[in-house]
Amino acid sequence: MVKLSGVYKGMRKGYGETLVELGKKYENLVVLDADLSGSTQTAMFAKEFPDRFFNAGVAEQNMIGMAAGLATTGKIVFASSFAMFASGRAWEIIRNLVAYPKLNVKVVATHAGITVGEDGASHQMCEDIAIMRAIPNMVVIAPTDYYHTKNVIRVIAEYKGPVYVRMPRRDTEIIYENEEEATFEIGKGKILVEGEDLTIIATGEEVPEALKAGEILKENGISAEIVEISTIKPIDEKIIKKANDFVVTVEDHSIIGGLGGAVAEVIASNGLNKKLLRIGINDVFGRSGKADELLKHYGLDGESIAKRIMEETSKF
């Protein structure tokens, strides 16, 4: 059973640790970075396996080109940078050199979403899910917490094909007790809390906030089902079809083209009679500020999510 632990730990730390573990398991695994290995935590792998780590410098497009070339020789390639640069600056290269030939490259981006904080709008990437899931052959994933991230990285190392993973900069609340509980399967969502009145579908660092919102709603007599969807593409259509008639999506991403857009597509394509409320970044750029303050400002903290839902439920 998942629960809010009050313990915070970085997903990117889990990423770095797991790369070292996988480096020992797979001799053909290589890691690339665009001069940000201290921040992305790929420095852990570089220290352990310096002959299998390549720093491309501040040249993200070149990094992806290198990754594609290495993949053609049978390597399992992980390439990392900040989400703004990994998905934005290198998008065309990812599309043409990685996704089109369906090469075995994992683009793992850190510093995604609004909680990049003081770096401001230029570095707060809230469009990456939308632009990456539009690419054919691309799997798009947003892990939930530290333990979950470790399992995500293990799974994608065994998956043959292009994958995009996004993680936040800040330490996030751990909701799983251990790695064994933090199971992950590509394309499968997970019901974390049973509920009868409405369904909250959350992804990434917003899953703990959705759990907080669920507790507040429960105190106000509203029973909320909480669903974790980590794989935004391919999305778990079955779990969405089984959701309650009032569905709320929560994401640290634009509501256009992200989790909310993906869920809306499933509802519309299948003619489902469900009301949908998308909670995320509402087609605006970010601003500088502390991560927690920004979550509150954009209505993405648990309290704000619960308040918004209660306002909507009062309408019908």
Side-chain angles (χ1 to χ4, degrees):
M1 181 178 179
V2 298
K3 63 178 180 178
L4 295 164
S5 65
V7 178
Y8 291 75
K9 201 167 184 178
M11 294 187 207
R12 52 195 174 121
K13 180 176 176 62
Y15 171 50
E17 292 172 350
T18 308
L19 281 180
V20 174
E21 170 198 314
L22 293 173
K24 297 173 182 176
K25 183 178 180 181
Y26 303 107
E27 292 185 358
N28 63 331
L29 187 145
V30 297
V31 176
L32 286 72
D33 205 293
D35 210 31
L36 290 167
S37 59
S39 296
T40 63
Q41 301 292 297
T42 60
M44 295 185 195
F45 185 92
K47 183 179 180 180
E48 191 78 18
F49 306 101
D51 59 331
R52 288 193 270 151
F53 176 81
F54 304 92
N55 182 4
V58 186
E60 294 80 9
Q61 294 174 334
N62 288 346
M63 177 183 71
I64 297 301
M66 291 167 61
L70 286 163
T72 64
T73 69
K75 304 297 185 185
I76 302 170
V77 188
F78 281 80
S80 291
S81 184
F82 290 0
M84 172 56 67
F85 310 130
S87 67
R89 185 172 295 165
W91 187 86
E92 182 215 341
I93 316 302
I94 291 171
R95 178 190 184 274
N96 289 336
L97 297 189
V98 173
Y100 180 52
K102 203 174 183 180
L103 296 181
N104 200 20
V105 176
K106 325 301 175 183
V107 180
V108 182
T110 66
H111 293 60
I114 206 74
T115 57
V116 174
E118 291 87 346
D119 287 352
S122 64
H123 283 54
Q124 292 164 345
M125 187 50 155
C126 298
E127 306 87 18
D128 55 326
I129 293 175
I131 64 174
M132 295 306 286
R133 79 181 186 94
I135 303 176
N137 295 329
M138 184 64 70
V139 172
V140 180
I141 301 168
T144 296
D145 70 1
Y146 166 79
Y147 290 124
H148 196 243
T149 298
K150 294 173 80 70
N151 283 330
V152 165
I153 301 305
R154 292 181 184 120
V155 169
I156 68 171
E158 295 184 1
Y159 172 83
K160 289 182 171 55
V163 179
Y164 176 76
V165 178
R166 63 153 11 212
M167 295 179 286
R169 171 189 189 180
R170 67 171 188 146
D171 290 353
T172 54
E173 189 164 1
I174 291 174
I175 67 166
Y176 289 109
E177 291 186 8
N178 49 51
E179 293 174 31
E180 289 71 27
E181 188 178 307
T183 57
F184 171 76
E185 183 179 350
I186 292 175
K188 298 294 183 182
K190 194 186 304 179
I191 297 174
L192 304 182
V193 178
E194 301 283 350
E196 300 176 353
D197 296 327
L198 57 92
T199 297
I200 302 175
I201 300 175
T203 194
E205 64 177 313
E206 283 301 297
V207 175
E209 300 302 327
L211 291 171
K212 293 173 189 175
E215 291 182 352
I216 295 171
L217 292 170
K218 186 176 181 180
E219 293 170 0
N220 286 271
I222 299 173
S223 174
E225 176 185 54
I226 312 295
V227 173
E228 169 196 85
I229 285 189
S230 302
T231 312
I232 298 96
K233 182 189 175 187
I235 200 161
D236 188 341
E237 293 200 12
K238 289 182 179 179
I239 208 166
I240 296 169
K241 290 176 182 178
K242 293 178 180 178
N244 290 302
D245 290 343
F246 180 22
V247 177
V248 181
T249 58
V250 184
E251 60 192 310
D252 181 13
H253 183 275
S254 172
I255 60 171
I256 300 171
L259 174 67
V263 172
E265 290 164 11
V266 174
I267 291 173
S269 297
N270 290 279
L272 304 178
N273 186 24
K274 298 182 187 295
K275 174 182 171 61
L276 176 63
L277 170 63
R278 295 172 297 160
I279 295 179
I281 306 302
N282 295 305
D283 197 23
V284 295
F285 284 106
R287 57 189 298 180
S288 298
K290 295 186 182 301
D292 290 343
E293 293 174 353
L294 288 169
L295 282 181
K296 190 170 185 63
H297 177 79
Y298 289 98
L300 294 173
D301 62 300
E303 185 178 347
S304 298
I305 293 166
K307 182 180 178 182
R308 178 78 185 282
I309 291 171
M310 285 189 284
E311 289 173 353
E312 290 295 320
T313 55
S314 66
K315 297 177 181 178
F316 60 92

